Amino acid sequence: MSYLRIAVQKSGRLNEDSMRILKDIGISIDNGKDQLKAAARDFPVEVFYLRNGDIPQYLRDGVVDAAIIGENVLIEKGSDLDFVERLGFSKCKVSIAVPKDSKANSLKDLEGKRIATSYPETVKQFLAEQNIDAQLHIINGSVEIAPNIGLADGICDIVSSGSTLFKNGLKEIEVLLKSEAVLAVSPEIDEERKQILEKIQFRIMSVLKARNSKYVLLNAPNDKLDKILDLLPGMRSPTVLPLAEEDWSSVHTVISKNDFWNIIDELKANGAEGILVCPIEKMVL
């Protein structure tokens, strides 16, 4: 039997999020310290632990069949590679920032200036699209210190919470792109491994839908039931069951996490009572 070879970041937040979703889709990995790869106990998968920046080349060469990787890295080092799923975690931005006391407040103000970055291809393409001519200084490591030591007038780097920019006295003036983890695929993947990947995709989608949804149970007076049902979405339609108390019904449905509080407020205003909210582990549609 063939094993699907999937790469994840060797360490860091993306590694933690990647291993969590693999566990959530039923793929258990026993990984000893500093192991390069480890096989799953209960699924035909081998996980390779690699440096993030090296993963695109491993995909390109067919050394691994798939990878959980930041979209920003794929854009920078693997623009010729495809991804099959957005994973909704490890979200960040690739942004241009300058010192807080800088007179630069927009990208145009960096015309002819120096920008330090670990993402030269991404920045180069963006500047060309915006018709901005700036010098790039390529740095691998702590890009944020470049303006403070006189190496650059601004930086371009990933931004998650913005705390790193704040600590280094920087302000964001331009967002080049928004990024999240994606499931990328090798152009060399064979048909047998592609079928395993499709099973993983299906499981991932079930987990992601569950993460973004809440299961809601509520009691509704029958004379207000139609109005309450109009407020509710559902996978197909809400489930309605009669209660032991006359003229009342129990309503069960699934609500998107993004719409949750607005819908709950509307439900209460229209007579819903005893509202219970439960997390969903998986949603198989």
Side-chain angles (χ1 to χ4, degrees):
M1 179 190 294
S2 294
Y3 277 71
L4 181 80
R5 300 160 299 181
I6 185 167
V8 301
Q9 184 178 348
K10 188 173 183 180
S11 60
R13 182 183 165 196
L14 184 53
N15 168 273
E16 294 169 6
D17 289 339
S18 300
M19 300 312 295
R20 184 178 300 116
I21 198 165
L22 289 177
K23 182 180 179 181
D24 287 347
I25 65 173
I27 297 177
S28 301
I29 306 293
D30 291 324
N31 179 34
K33 188 178 180 181
D34 297 327
Q35 254 185 300
L36 174 63
K37 67 176 182 176
R41 295 196 304 268
D42 44 14
F43 199 80
V45 162
E46 284 183 322
V47 175
F48 285 63
Y49 300 89
L50 305 172
R51 286 179 52 201
N52 215 24
D54 294 339
I55 290 176
Q57 192 60 51
Y58 279 79
L59 285 166
R60 197 176 285 116
D61 294 341
V63 176
V64 295
D65 307 300
I68 298 175
I69 186 173
E71 187 180 4
N72 56 303
V73 177
L74 205 62
I75 290 170
E76 174 66 24
K77 296 192 173 184
S79 58
D80 56 320
L81 299 168
D82 295 325
F83 66 85
V84 294
E85 207 69 65
R86 292 185 181 275
L87 301 178
F89 56 78
S90 295
K91 292 185 177 181
C92 65
K93 300 177 289 185
V94 176
S95 301
I96 290 177
V98 297
K100 287 182 180 178
D101 58 2
S102 171
K103 294 181 180 179
N105 292 303
S106 69
L107 187 63
K108 290 181 180 179
D109 295 329
L110 292 180
E111 176 74 33
K113 303 295 186 179
R114 303 162 299 165
I115 301 174
T117 185
S118 300
Y119 295 90
E121 296 305 318
T122 303
V123 180
K124 200 180 299 180
Q125 181 178 339
F126 186 79
L127 292 178
E129 291 170 355
Q130 303 298 318
N131 294 315
I132 301 294
D133 183 23
Q135 303 172 37
L136 295 188
H137 287 271
I138 302 171
I139 296 178
N140 294 315
S142 301
V143 176
E144 298 85 4
I145 67 170
N148 293 329
I149 61 176
L151 183 62
D153 302 292
I155 68 161
C156 182
D157 201 13
I158 59 170
V159 176
S160 296
S161 65
S163 61
T164 303
L165 294 184
F166 179 79
K167 289 174 184 175
N168 286 276
L170 300 171
K171 62 181 180 181
E172 182 183 79
I173 62 169
E174 187 78 32
V175 176
L176 279 64
L177 59 92
K178 294 182 178 179
S179 172
E180 63 186 270
V182 296
L183 182 63
V185 60
S186 168
E188 302 297 323
I189 188 171
D190 61 34
E191 193 58 40
E192 187 175 1
R193 290 186 171 97
K194 193 178 291 184
Q195 291 177 12
I196 300 172
L197 181 62
E198 288 171 357
K199 290 181 181 179
I200 287 178
Q201 274 184 262
F202 173 77
R203 294 188 183 193
I204 286 175
M205 287 303 299
S206 297
V207 169
L208 294 182
K209 284 184 179 294
R211 286 182 182 178
N212 291 314
S213 304
K214 299 289 186 182
Y215 189 76
V216 176
L217 303 86
L218 59 90
N219 296 331
N222 288 347
D223 60 348
K224 296 183 178 179
L225 190 56
D226 287 343
K227 178 61 177 176
I228 286 173
L229 293 179
D230 285 342
L231 295 170
L232 293 174
M235 290 181 288
R236 191 175 297 273
S237 66
T239 300
V240 180
L241 300 170
L243 289 178
E245 184 176 347
E246 192 174 351
D247 296 327
W248 281 79
S249 295
S250 174
V251 180
H252 301 217
T253 192
V254 173
I255 296 178
S256 167
K257 191 167 64 175
N258 296 331
D259 304 325
F260 175 76
W261 284 112
N262 289 333
I263 293 176
I264 292 297
D265 290 339
E266 290 284 335
L267 290 171
K268 287 180 63 181
N270 283 276
E273 297 181 4
I275 301 173
L276 300 180
V277 181
C278 307
I280 302 173
E281 186 173 327
K282 309 284 189 299
M283 283 180 64
V284 181
L285 303 178

